[in-house]
Amino acid sequence: MTRWLTEYAWLPEHPEPTPDVLIEATGGRITGITPLAAESRPTAGVEVLADAVRLPGLTLPGLANTHSHAFHRALRGRTHGGRGDFWTWRDRMYEVATRLDPDSYLALARAAYAEMALAGITCVGEFHYLHHGPDGTPYADPNAMGSALVEAAAQAGIRLTLLDACYLTATVAGDPLVGPQRRFGDGDAHRWAERAAAFAPTGAHLRVGAAIHSVRAVPADQLATVAASANDRDVPLHAHLSEQPAENDACRAEHGCTPTRLLADRGALGQHTTVVHATHPTSSDITVLGDSRTRVCLCPTTERDLADGIGPARRMANAGSALSLGSDSHAVVDLFEEARAVELDERLRTRQRGHFTAGELVTAATVAGHVALGWGDAGRLAVGDRADLVTVRLDSPRTAGVPAAGAFFAATAADVSQVVVDGQVVVRDGRHQMVDVPAELATSIAEVTGTP
Ligand SMILES: [Zn+2]
């Protein structure tokens, strides 16, 4: 058994952190949560506390990064200057996609996931569509690229839900994949489903899921095939949704309805579905998503970077959609920043403060993301849950003098001091225990961008 004595711990359903909590774990599971309030401290026993590892600062459950494209990490700082929009950014992204093979993908993803571990992320949802060779020809193992991601997460010490994305067409009108897009495609949804269902890697750190890349990339008459494949395998289904007004316009022109309506009509929404972005839903879309308990993953730093706009987060949450968070393009890997952006973006839009409580933001960054990724037993400091602990310093230049309850509005990823995943220490004193993260990022990115 391992025991930790936290200075503060954020317990489930609590509006703010609890001081002096003893957390016990055995075999990667939390077996005891004991707040040592003044009145109960004497009963805890001196010998129990003597062998407890002290965790100064604020300890949170593991953070879940619900939406990632690992290879986009290579674009950080390369696309932010100058003009352009989502579509010009996408062209740059395709240049990197063209260069990757299973070996370079493993190296880049391992470094990107290790950066996530340093940021307190214990579980990542990888929205994976780089399936085949550059000209679209499958590798000898048609899931070689997925296997590289599975191995990368294992080596970085975090859990992974591999969301295998169906990506068949270039436009809502059904134009074929061309150029760099060819490696994304399986031909049709049945062939995608066969390949995805045949991928059964083992590992306690791994789950699989399915994804509809978007209504741009999966024809309307094949959406139900993807949804049924996820449903039959009882795995999560994710989909990019209404990131851009142009997607809504194209969908209306082709199908006479919004992307949300199209997904609903093809059986692709529900409590096991997470839609990503939902930046431009209509009022009726918000009702459809909420009534079906479809989950929404917001990626505020990416939506900011790509000039997408601000999604109606509060309205979607009020309608019944649980919110989670993703770093998506990895322009920033910092779930504290993603979480507070949900509140701060609402402030910019409404010119009013106070839309989300700190507890709601913690929920979005932790348990809601884990549930969206199929891990119903993670994301809470609770007996029986996975022993994922993320400790944030309260004595850094950013957090000194900040009350523990305010840490989500002050801390950055750089303030994460220790990360425990399934009972194992992955980050100690701010250092990854297995990966030299800056060195591996530099090397792996230089290889796939062709620049030092
Ligand atoms: Zn994405």
Side-chain angles (χ1 to χ4, degrees):
M1 175 182 288
T2 307
R3 295 183 175 88
W4 296 276
L5 182 57
T6 62
E7 184 181 3
Y8 293 95
W10 210 312
L11 303 180
E13 316 301 334
H14 282 54
E16 55 185 59
T18 301
D20 301 326
V21 178
L22 181 69
I23 300 176
E24 297 168 293
T26 302
R29 297 273 170 179
I30 296 173
T31 53
I33 297 279
T34 311
L36 303 180
E39 61 274 16
S40 64
R41 184 185 289 271
T43 65
V46 173
E47 69 284 356
V48 171
L49 298 181
D51 70 355
V53 177
R54 298 304 200 265
L55 291 178
L58 168 63
T59 295
L60 300 160
L63 307 181
N65 188 358
T66 310
H67 189 69
S68 160
H69 308 283
F71 75 93
H72 292 191
R73 177 62 180 82
L75 294 167
R76 185 185 297 175
R78 288 185 159 79
T79 63
H80 307 288
R83 299 183 67 82
D85 58 14
F86 171 89
W87 309 101
T88 51
W89 168 85
R90 196 179 67 161
D91 290 339
R92 298 295 308 276
M93 182 263 284
Y94 283 168
E95 292 172 15
V96 173
T98 302
R99 290 170 170 264
L100 285 161
D101 61 28
D103 289 338
S104 57
Y105 205 19
L106 168 58
L108 177 57
R110 165 184 152 103
Y113 293 160
E115 182 191 358
M116 292 182 198
L118 286 176
I121 291 162
T122 56
C123 184
V124 60
E126 177 69 26
F127 197 107
H128 167 54
Y129 55 84
L130 259 179
H131 301 304
H132 304 300
D135 65 354
T137 304
Y139 291 103
D141 168 5
N143 286 304
M145 295 293 264
S147 293
L149 295 165
V150 170
E151 183 60 27
Q155 293 182 9
I158 68 174
R159 292 195 302 275
L160 169 77
T161 297
L162 187 75
L163 300 159
D164 192 313
C166 184
Y167 196 133
L168 304 172
T169 54
T171 65
V172 178
D175 292 321
L177 301 178
V178 293
Q181 299 173 327
R182 288 178 296 168
R183 66 186 314 185
F184 309 160
D186 288 292
D188 62 44
H190 288 289
R191 278 157 52 193
W192 165 83
E194 276 181 20
R195 182 186 53 71
F199 187 46
T202 56
H205 75 297
L206 172 72
R207 301 242 160 110
V208 295
I212 292 165
H213 178 275
S214 60
V215 300
R216 296 196 308 275
V218 180
D221 62 1
Q222 299 189 56
L223 290 168
T225 302
V226 183
S229 171
N231 193 43
D232 291 347
R233 291 182 284 148
D234 195 23
V235 300
L237 175 65
H238 287 221
H240 290 121
L241 180 76
S242 294
E243 181 175 5
Q244 290 284 323
E247 177 185 306
N248 290 359
D249 296 343
C251 193
R252 280 201 185 88
E254 187 69 25
H255 303 297
C257 65
T258 64
T260 297
R261 183 77 256 163
L262 189 64
L263 291 180
D265 289 347
R266 306 299 162 136
L269 298 183
Q271 64 174 330
H272 301 298
T273 297
T274 296
V275 294
V276 181
H277 302 301
T279 310
H280 300 283
T282 65
S283 291
S284 62
D285 288 342
I286 292 171
T287 301
V288 168
L289 293 172
D291 285 353
S292 60
R293 296 294 180 262
T294 299
R295 301 168 187 280
V296 174
C297 175
L298 305 168
C299 308
T301 67
T302 295
E303 291 147 12
R304 179 193 296 170
D305 183 49
L306 297 182
D308 289 340
I310 302 170
R314 185 70 261 175
R315 289 176 63 203
M316 292 193 287
N318 289 348
S321 291
L323 305 182
S324 56
L325 302 168
S327 65
D328 190 7
S329 69
H330 313 316
V332 175
V333 171
D334 186 339
L335 287 198
F336 302 101
E337 177 63 18
E338 304 291 349
R340 61 179 162 258
V342 173
E343 164 66 21
L344 298 177
D345 286 355
E346 288 278 12
R347 293 183 186 183
L348 283 175
R349 185 198 2 237
T350 62
R351 288 179 285 162
Q352 290 188 331
R353 308 176 83 233
H355 302 272
F356 290 89
T357 67
E360 286 180 300
L361 300 181
V362 173
T363 295
T366 57
V367 63
H370 281 97
V371 170
L373 295 174
W375 302 85
D377 59 351
R380 300 175 309 155
L381 296 177
V383 172
D385 263 35
R386 290 168 179 274
D388 299 342
L389 281 68
V390 175
T391 303
V392 182
R393 290 174 56 182
L394 294 175
D395 63 352
S396 79
R398 291 159 294 278
T399 58
V402 173
F408 250 74
F409 283 97
T412 72
D415 299 318
V416 172
S417 57
Q418 174 157 306
V419 179
V420 174
V421 183
D422 288 327
Q424 302 295 316
V425 176
V426 175
V427 174
R428 180 175 278 129
D429 296 330
R431 297 187 71 85
H432 199 290
Q433 297 299 285
M434 292 88 82
V435 179
D436 182 341
V437 179
E440 293 202 14
L441 282 168
T443 305
S444 59
I445 290 171
E447 181 175 344
V448 299
T449 58
T451 54

